[in-house]
């Protein structure tokens, strides 16, 4: 095989990964991170790939949600820091400013990861934990430099004295220059409208050339016309010399300060260099995360069973180019397994075969390089030891290689090195030579690759290869779909069927004479035309079957949902039924107890009236028997309600008979009142149902029951839906409800101060990352209750990805909450499955 590095570079170029690498490098701020982007290699270690992916995915989440994460201060310092280890060296002011920015960035990054909750960004937090921040060095720099990067006056006492003297001298020279100018103007040597000029740091007086001898000093310059001469007065020269001396002294003192600081810094240089390497790694990971956001990429699953399952994969470079033309890319879904490990794609030219092949290759390479990939986050990718490609034309005049020879050279390398841990990508397999021989050689190579268990995606037009893939082996056909009616490609891959070249149809569309096309069909032979025709017929039938299967699956899903719903409702009905029966028993006991007292009073009256003792005993026995029957277990069949009705009817008849036997008008009135009270009590204490009118006991508000569960009642009060415990409401009649609706309670029109405060403090997003499942669910229950009560249209719940258990439990609960219209994952650009978006009715 050719030089390995050259081969890798060529593979990256053919797959388009060189563009991805360039995109990452362009996002880097530091030379160290740019070098990392250029040197980072294709990994074959599952642990290393997992580490790279997790670091990038965590940084992607930080860039999306953490505004406090440092984004500045990524300065290159290694080029001047390492040379400072030499004893004679010292740092300059500009480099010290860069050093402060970089060290402050390291400090802020380490502080950020120290302050986040446990469980958030674990990989990055682990990476930052051993990094040192050197506060003493930062304090020393701050004592020397001001916020603009200049050396402070009080960096040393000597420097403060020098600069104070320098300011005094500069002030004196300005005053002296103004005095000389005024004197010259009074003597007529200098023009009235002239002013002091500064050239090359010297203060000069402009004098007409005719009067230049009249002003004592040194001629420094003259105007372009020669009419004006610029003179440095001799009174100023001595002051200027003094200023120069002070500036030299200032420079020497600054160098002394810098040298002193460098000596202080020197023992820390190696450790600081390690911190800056950490800063460079963070910059590199940020660049990868930013490119992932640009690509709308997510973290795939590392396959543990050797399967490759890409879902809705997109070629990022092609997608970017299509967006410039305002076109949408067609996502690719493809599966390879150890049993069916080679996909043979066929179909018309310009139908998307090569794009499918390159998409698989590029995404696999990005994955093993440690990049997030532009596909669904449920995509699974295995780890290959190598990716071998034969794409495009590698003909070479220097190496005496023709097009077909270059293809054969690539096939030779594949047969030499490929095994079950290799992914091969071959475009236009067998082309470039005489079709019969080319097809035979291609079939023999395909059979060998199949025997070895090599994974691969191969494109071809050869019928013999399609027939091979239709047999009992590890190769599966794939067809690029084609709109036969409009003679246009659909760019969608259909697995399980060979593709049709549609050569004759395309020829007709391009306007070739029909006679030529008919002649070509006859020359191709009836067998070839028949195969093509059958392929089209199979494709149409397959599509119709898929549509029916899709409809059946949808129907089954709906049926399963309805079945589950009815089972839940049936269980609730059974539970409610038992509660109703128990309540009815309790109520009946209360009624019988009251009736017993009434009967005892009646019997006492009868006795006093010399009534028959036998009749009295019979009446009391009947009442006791009825009371005892209430303690029997409730029947499980559908005759329970009928039995209770019969018992109640018998009890009413017996009670009425005893009262009539007493014959007193007062007892008749008592019976009427008892019936009314019992009816009223039965009405108010009967089980609540949907549509019943109720009053909230706490507030006096009236509403309508919209849903009932064993532990909660959902009541609609005006435009607000609330849920309360059953014992917090009481049933009212329709008349009472209408009356209350006409004259509503004043509290309905006035917002509760507590409710107003909750509305002001409510946020449309809650962060549960790092929380335990039980604590998170409790927080979600309260949060969703508030959202429904306040009428919020939608909220976002941040729970992170992790193992997915927290997301599953939260979404499972949300789907049971009345008033929630949809529960779905956030768009992959804004967090994907790490965030749940809840929309309310």
């Amino acid at each position: 095989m050719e030089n390995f590095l050259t081969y890798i570079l060529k593979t990256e170029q053919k797959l388009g990964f060189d563009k991805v690498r360039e995109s990452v490098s362009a996002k880097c701020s530091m030379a160290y991170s740019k070098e990392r982007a250029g040197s980072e290699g294709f990994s074959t270690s599952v642990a290393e790939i997992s580490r790279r992916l997790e670091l990038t995915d965590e940084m992607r989440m930080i860039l999306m949600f953490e505004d406090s994460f440092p984004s500045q201060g990524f300065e290159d310092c290694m080029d001047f820091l390492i040379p400072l280890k030499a004893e004679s060296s010292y740092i300059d002011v500009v480099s010290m400013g860069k050093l402060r920015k970089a060290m402050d960035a390291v400090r802020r990054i380490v502080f950020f990861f120290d302050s986040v909750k446990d469980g958030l960004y674990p990989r990055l937090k682990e990476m930052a934990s051993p990094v040192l921040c050197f506060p003493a060095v930062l304090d020393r720099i701050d004592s020397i430099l001001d916020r603009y990067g200049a050396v402070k006056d009080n960096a040393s006492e000597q420097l403060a004295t020098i600069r104070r003297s320098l300011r005094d001298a500069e002030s004196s020279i300005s005053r002296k220059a103004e005095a000389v100018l005024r004197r010259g103007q009074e003597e007529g040597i200098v023009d009235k409208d002239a002013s002091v000029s500064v050239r090359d740091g010297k203060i000069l007086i402009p004098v007409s050339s005719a009067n230049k001898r009249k002003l004592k000093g040194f001629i420094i310059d003259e105007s372009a016309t020669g009419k004006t001469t610029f003179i440095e007065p001799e009174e100023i020269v001595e002051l200027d010399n003094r200023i120069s001396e002070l500036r030299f002294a200032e420079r020497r003192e600054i160098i002394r300060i810098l040298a002193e600081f460098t000596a202080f810094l020197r023992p820390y240089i190696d450790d600081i260099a390690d911190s800056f390497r950490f800063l460079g790694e963070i910059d590199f990971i940020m660049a990868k995360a930013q490119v992932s956001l640009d690509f709308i990429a997510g973290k795939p699953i590392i396959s543990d069973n050797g399967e490759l399952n890409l879902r809705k994969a997109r070629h990022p470079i092609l997608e970017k180019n299509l967006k410039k033309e305002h076109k949408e890319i067609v996502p690719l879904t493809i599966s390879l397994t150890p049993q069916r490990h080679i996909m043979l794609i066929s179909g018309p030219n310009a139908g998307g075969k090569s794009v499918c092949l390159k998409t698989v290759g590029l995404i696999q390479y990005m994955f093993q390089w440690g990049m997030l990939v532009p596909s669904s986050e449920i995509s699974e990718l295995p780890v290959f030891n190598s990716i071998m490609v034969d794409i495009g034309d590698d003909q070479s005049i220097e190496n005496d290689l023709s097009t077909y020879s270059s293809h054969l050279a690539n096939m030779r390398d594949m047969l030499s090195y490929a095994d079950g841990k290799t992914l091969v990508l071959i475009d236009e397999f067998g082309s470039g030579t005489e079709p019969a021989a080319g097809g035979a050689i291609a079939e023999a190579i395909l059979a060998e690759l199949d025997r070895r268990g090599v994974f691969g995606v191969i494109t071809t037009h050869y019928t013999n290869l399609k027939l091979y893939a239709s047999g009992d082996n590890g190769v599966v056909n794939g067809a690029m779909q084609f709109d036969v009616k409009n003679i246009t490609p659909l760019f969608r891959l259909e697995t399980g069927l060979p593709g049709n070249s549609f050569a004759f149809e395309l020829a007709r569309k391009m306007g070739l004479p029909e006679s030529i096309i008919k002649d070509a069909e006859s020359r191709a032979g009836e067998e070839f035309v028949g195969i093509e025709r059958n392929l089209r017929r199979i494709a149409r039938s397959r599509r119709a079957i898929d549509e029916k299967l899709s409809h059946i699956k949808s129907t089954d899903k709906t049926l399963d949902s309805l079945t589950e719903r009815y089972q839940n409702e049936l269980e609730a009905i059974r539970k409610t039924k038992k509660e109703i029966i128990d309540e009815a028993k309790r109520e009946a006991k209360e009624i019988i107890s009251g009736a017993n007292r009434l009967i005892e009073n009646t019997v006492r009256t009868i006795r006093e009236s010399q009534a028959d003792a036998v009749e009295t005993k019979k009446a009391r026995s009947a009442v006791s028997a009825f009371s005892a029957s209430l303690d029997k277990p409730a029947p499980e069949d559908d005759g329970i309600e009928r039995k209770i009705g019969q018992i109640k009817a018998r009890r009413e008849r017996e009670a009425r008979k005893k009262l009539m036997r007493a014959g007193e008008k007062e007892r008749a009135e008592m019976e009427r009142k008892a019936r009314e009270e019992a009816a009223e009590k039965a009405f108010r204490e009967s089980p609540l149902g949907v549509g019943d009118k109720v009053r909230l006991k706490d507030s006096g508000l009236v509403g309508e029951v919209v849903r009932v569960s064993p532990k909660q009642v959902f009541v609609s009060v005006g435009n607000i839906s609330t849920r309360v415990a059953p014992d917090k409401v009481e049933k009212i009649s329709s008349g009472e409800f209408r009356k209350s609706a006409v004259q509503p309670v004043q509290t309905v029109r006035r917002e509760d101060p507590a409710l107003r405060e909750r509305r002001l403090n409510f946020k449309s997003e809650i962060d549960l990352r790092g929380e335990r499942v039980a604590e998170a669910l409790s927080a979600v229950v309260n949060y969703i209750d508030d959202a429904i009560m306040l009428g919020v249209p939608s909220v976002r719940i941040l729970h992170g990805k992790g193992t997915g258990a927290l997301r599953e439990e939260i979404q499972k609960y949300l789907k049971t909450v009345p008033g929630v219209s949809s529960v779905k994952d956030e768009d992959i650009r804004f967090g994907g499955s790490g965030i749940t978006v809840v929309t309310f009715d």
Side-chain angles (χ1 to χ4, degrees):
M1 186 183 285
E2 59 191 295
N3 179 273
F4 182 71
L5 180 59
T6 304
Y7 179 80
I8 291 294
L9 293 176
K10 188 181 294 184
T11 299
E12 290 187 2
Q13 184 178 9
K14 288 185 175 183
L15 294 178
F17 185 77
D18 57 329
K19 300 290 193 302
V20 177
R21 195 187 286 270
E22 288 172 5
S23 298
V24 173
S25 181
K27 296 285 187 181
C28 294
S29 301
M30 302 172 64
Y32 176 92
S33 52
K34 289 181 183 291
E35 182 182 349
R36 288 282 288 110
S39 62
E40 185 83 317
F42 177 91
S43 176
T44 59
S45 166
V46 174
E48 176 62 16
I49 293 170
S50 177
R51 186 188 72 85
R52 294 181 186 180
L53 290 174
E54 288 171 5
L55 287 171
T56 307
D57 191 48
E58 288 176 9
M59 184 59 73
R60 179 176 68 101
M61 300 297 289
I62 287 173
L63 294 180
M64 287 193 297
F65 302 115
E66 304 288 357
D67 295 334
S68 61
F69 188 78
S71 59
Q72 296 179 342
F74 293 86
E75 297 282 350
D76 285 309
C77 299
M78 301 294 281
D79 54 345
F80 66 78
L81 183 65
I82 301 302
L84 294 179
K85 296 169 74 173
E87 290 294 333
S88 60
S89 61
Y90 64 87
I91 194 169
D92 59 74
V93 175
V94 175
S95 297
M96 185 183 284
K98 289 184 177 180
L99 182 67
R100 178 170 64 179
K101 288 181 181 178
M103 293 186 70
D104 185 59
V106 171
R107 179 189 62 79
R108 288 184 290 123
I109 291 172
V110 171
F111 175 76
F112 172 84
F113 287 116
D114 284 344
S115 61
V116 297
K117 293 187 293 187
D118 290 338
L120 278 181
Y121 321 124
R123 284 284 190 178
L124 288 169
K125 191 166 185 176
E126 178 186 9
M127 183 177 169
S129 61
V131 178
L132 303 176
C133 298
F134 309 100
V137 176
L138 278 170
D139 291 343
R140 187 70 174 265
I141 294 176
D142 289 339
S143 70
I144 296 172
L145 299 182
D146 61 19
R147 60 178 178 171
Y148 303 107
V151 179
K152 294 179 177 179
D153 291 353
N154 59 355
S156 73
E157 292 184 6
Q158 183 64 23
L159 183 62
T161 301
I162 292 171
R163 286 187 172 173
R164 188 162 50 248
S165 300
L166 188 59
R167 285 192 293 271
D168 292 342
E170 288 173 344
S171 177
S172 298
I173 201 172
S174 296
R175 290 195 298 272
K176 180 63 72 174
E178 290 293 337
V180 172
L181 178 66
R182 286 195 299 271
R183 188 172 66 244
Q185 290 172 337
E186 291 170 357
E187 294 175 358
I189 299 173
V190 181
D191 293 341
K192 294 294 185 182
D193 56 350
S195 60
V196 175
S197 178
V198 178
R199 297 196 177 189
D200 297 329
K202 295 182 178 296
I203 296 179
L204 308 177
I205 305 297
V207 180
S208 62
S209 296
N211 297 324
K212 63 184 178 182
R213 302 290 181 186
K214 297 179 180 180
L215 183 64
K216 294 180 180 181
F218 298 93
I219 297 175
I220 302 300
D221 200 0
E222 67 177 6
S223 64
T225 60
K227 294 181 178 180
T228 303
T229 300
F230 295 92
I231 299 174
E232 184 180 18
E234 60 181 9
E235 295 98 322
I236 294 177
V237 171
E238 184 176 352
L239 287 173
D240 193 34
N241 291 339
R242 173 61 178 161
I243 289 175
S244 296
E245 290 176 0
L246 289 171
R247 290 197 184 282
F248 287 135
E250 178 189 32
R251 190 174 299 114
R252 286 193 301 272
E253 179 61 16
I254 288 176
I255 291 174
R256 188 195 67 77
I257 293 170
L258 296 176
E260 186 180 82
F261 169 77
T262 304
F264 166 77
L265 178 70
R266 197 165 285 123
Y268 302 106
I269 287 178
D270 289 336
D271 291 334
I272 292 175
D274 289 339
S275 296
F276 288 164
R277 291 186 188 96
F278 163 77
L279 187 65
E281 287 293 331
I282 291 293
D283 187 38
F284 174 53
I285 297 170
M286 283 180 64
K288 289 169 63 179
Q290 287 168 345
V291 172
S292 298
L293 289 173
D294 293 342
F295 288 167
I296 316 177
K299 179 188 167 197
I301 300 169
I302 300 179
S303 175
D304 57 1
N305 57 8
E307 293 187 0
L308 185 153
N309 295 302
L310 274 179
R311 300 286 182 267
K312 298 181 180 179
R314 311 178 315 279
H315 193 291
I317 308 303
L318 176 61
E319 184 176 33
K320 183 178 179 181
N321 293 334
L322 288 175
K323 282 184 177 179
K324 294 178 181 178
E325 302 174 9
H326 305 288
K327 296 179 180 178
E328 293 290 331
I329 194 169
V330 179
L332 169 68
T333 295
I334 185 173
S335 294
L336 298 177
T337 69
Q339 294 74 36
R340 305 287 273 179
H341 48 88
I342 297 178
M343 175 72 71
L344 186 75
I345 303 177
S346 51
N349 288 318
K353 299 190 300 297
S354 298
V355 171
C356 288
L357 178 144
K358 290 182 178 180
T359 300
V360 173
L362 177 58
I363 287 183
Q364 183 68 39
Y365 203 100
M366 291 173 64
F367 163 71
Q368 293 194 227
W369 194 73
M371 278 288 291
L372 304 184
V373 299
S375 70
S376 169
E377 290 182 315
I378 62 172
S379 295
E380 294 183 78
L381 294 173
V383 176
F384 294 109
N385 289 336
S386 62
I387 298 177
M388 307 184 76
V389 301
D390 179 34
I391 301 173
D393 188 357
D394 286 335
Q395 63 175 315
S396 171
I397 296 176
E398 293 82 359
N399 297 326
D400 194 24
L401 283 177
S402 66
T403 299
Y404 188 61
S405 296
S406 68
H407 288 310
L408 289 178
N410 290 331
M411 295 301 104
R412 178 197 62 210
D413 293 338
M414 289 181 184
L415 292 173
S416 299
Y417 299 103
D419 57 19
K421 296 291 288 182
T422 303
L423 175 66
V424 299
L425 305 168
I426 306 174
D427 197 22
E428 299 296 345
F429 195 23
S431 64
T433 189
E434 194 274 323
I441 293 173
E443 186 173 349
I445 294 173
L446 178 61
E448 178 61 18
L449 295 175
D450 178 23
R451 186 187 66 79
R452 297 185 186 184
V454 175
F455 278 68
V457 179
I458 300 173
T459 69
T460 189
H461 288 286
Y462 285 2
T463 302
N464 65 312
L465 300 182
K466 302 177 192 177
L467 293 174
Y468 178 88
S470 301
D472 185 13
N473 49 54
V475 185
V476 60
N477 272 306
M480 299 310 300
Q481 294 184 6
F482 194 81
D483 186 345
V484 180
K485 181 178 179 181
N486 298 310
I487 316 299
T488 55
L490 299 176
F491 304 107
R492 289 198 295 268
L493 176 65
E494 183 175 19
T495 302
L497 288 177
N500 192 322
S501 65
F502 295 99
F504 300 125
E505 287 79 359
L506 288 171
R508 286 189 175 92
K509 182 179 180 182
M510 297 306 295
L512 266 66
E514 185 64 26
S515 59
I516 297 294
I517 297 173
K518 291 291 186 183
D519 185 29
E521 288 179 341
S522 64
R523 291 175 184 273
E526 184 61 32
E527 182 180 356
F528 174 81
V529 175
I531 290 174
E532 294 287 305
R533 187 179 298 114
N534 287 333
L535 286 175
R536 290 196 297 273
R537 187 178 298 115
I538 291 170
R540 285 194 295 269
S541 300
R542 174 65 179 272
R543 194 169 295 113
I545 291 172
D546 286 345
E547 290 175 357
K548 290 181 179 179
L549 285 175
S550 177
H551 178 70
I552 290 171
K553 287 179 180 178
S554 176
T555 304
D556 286 346
K557 187 176 181 181
T558 303
L559 182 60
D560 290 342
S561 176
L562 287 173
T563 302
E564 182 180 2
R565 174 185 165 190
Y566 289 144
Q567 285 177 343
N568 292 336
E569 290 183 357
L570 180 60
E571 187 64 31
I573 289 171
R574 287 172 177 168
K575 189 173 182 180
T576 305
K577 180 178 179 180
K578 184 177 182 304
E579 292 175 353
I580 292 172
I581 291 172
D582 292 342
E583 178 65 20
K585 284 183 177 182
R586 185 187 61 77
E587 181 182 339
K589 283 185 176 181
E590 292 178 357
I591 294 173
I592 292 301
S593 177
N596 262 336
R597 288 193 297 272
L598 181 61
I599 292 171
E600 289 292 342
N601 292 333
T602 303
V603 170
R604 187 181 302 108
T605 304
I606 292 172
R607 278 180 180 167
E608 292 172 355
S609 303
Q610 305 297 319
D612 188 357
V614 175
E615 289 296 324
T616 302
K617 185 175 181 181
K618 185 186 298 183
R620 295 177 66 180
S621 298
V623 173
S624 299
F626 173 66
S627 178
S629 69
L630 294 176
D631 294 327
K632 293 181 181 179
E636 297 296 331
D637 56 21
D638 293 336
I640 293 175
E641 290 81 359
R642 185 171 61 255
K643 185 69 174 176
I644 292 175
Q646 292 172 353
I647 293 173
K648 285 185 176 180
R650 186 169 64 249
R651 187 265 304 161
E652 289 178 355
R653 287 196 301 272
E654 291 175 353
R656 191 181 303 111
K657 191 179 295 181
K658 297 295 185 293
L659 293 174
M660 290 177 64
R661 191 176 293 123
E664 294 187 2
K665 187 175 182 179
E666 289 79 9
R667 287 192 289 276
E669 181 66 20
M670 289 175 62
E671 180 189 22
R672 184 183 65 78
K673 288 184 179 180
R675 279 200 308 271
E676 289 180 354
E677 290 176 357
E680 178 71 17
K681 185 174 183 181
F683 171 74
R684 294 193 180 278
E685 296 185 358
S686 62
L688 292 171
V690 175
D692 284 348
K693 307 300 187 294
V694 295
R695 177 183 289 108
L696 303 182
K697 294 180 179 179
D698 292 341
S699 62
L701 298 175
V702 297
E704 183 176 345
V705 176
V706 296
R707 183 180 168 188
V708 178
S709 69
K711 295 184 178 180
Q712 291 181 321
V713 177
F714 297 80
V715 181
S716 174
V717 181
N719 294 325
I720 299 175
S721 179
T722 184
R723 50 183 176 177
V724 296
D727 60 351
K728 298 295 183 181
V729 299
E730 60 179 356
K731 231 178 179 185
I732 61 173
S733 65
S734 298
E736 287 180 283
F737 176 79
R738 284 193 297 270
K739 182 178 179 182
S740 298
V742 173
Q743 298 177 348
V745 182
Q746 292 297 321
T747 54
V748 174
R749 296 195 297 267
R750 183 177 66 252
E751 189 174 38
D752 190 353
L755 182 63
R756 186 185 307 113
E757 183 178 355
R758 291 172 74 177
R759 189 187 302 280
L760 292 173
N761 295 331
F762 185 81
K763 296 181 180 178
S764 61
E765 186 174 279
I766 184 173
D767 188 351
L768 303 174
R769 291 173 293 178
E771 299 284 351
R772 297 180 183 273
V773 173
E775 297 169 351
L777 279 177
S778 177
V780 168
V781 170
N782 295 331
Y783 182 68
I784 294 300
D785 284 348
D786 288 349
I788 293 175
M789 182 178 65
L790 299 175
V792 176
S794 66
V795 295
R796 300 168 83 243
I797 301 175
L798 281 70
H799 44 63
K801 296 178 182 176
T803 62
L806 182 57
R807 166 184 172 274
E808 183 179 353
E809 290 299 324
I810 289 175
Q811 293 193 356
K812 188 186 297 182
Y813 163 73
L814 291 171
K815 290 175 182 177
T816 66
V817 177
V820 173
S821 62
S822 71
V823 179
K824 61 182 181 181
D825 291 341
E826 178 60 278
D827 188 284
I828 191 173
R829 291 172 293 181
F830 308 116
S833 59
I835 300 173
T836 294
V837 179
V838 186
T839 307
F840 301 101
D841 293 334

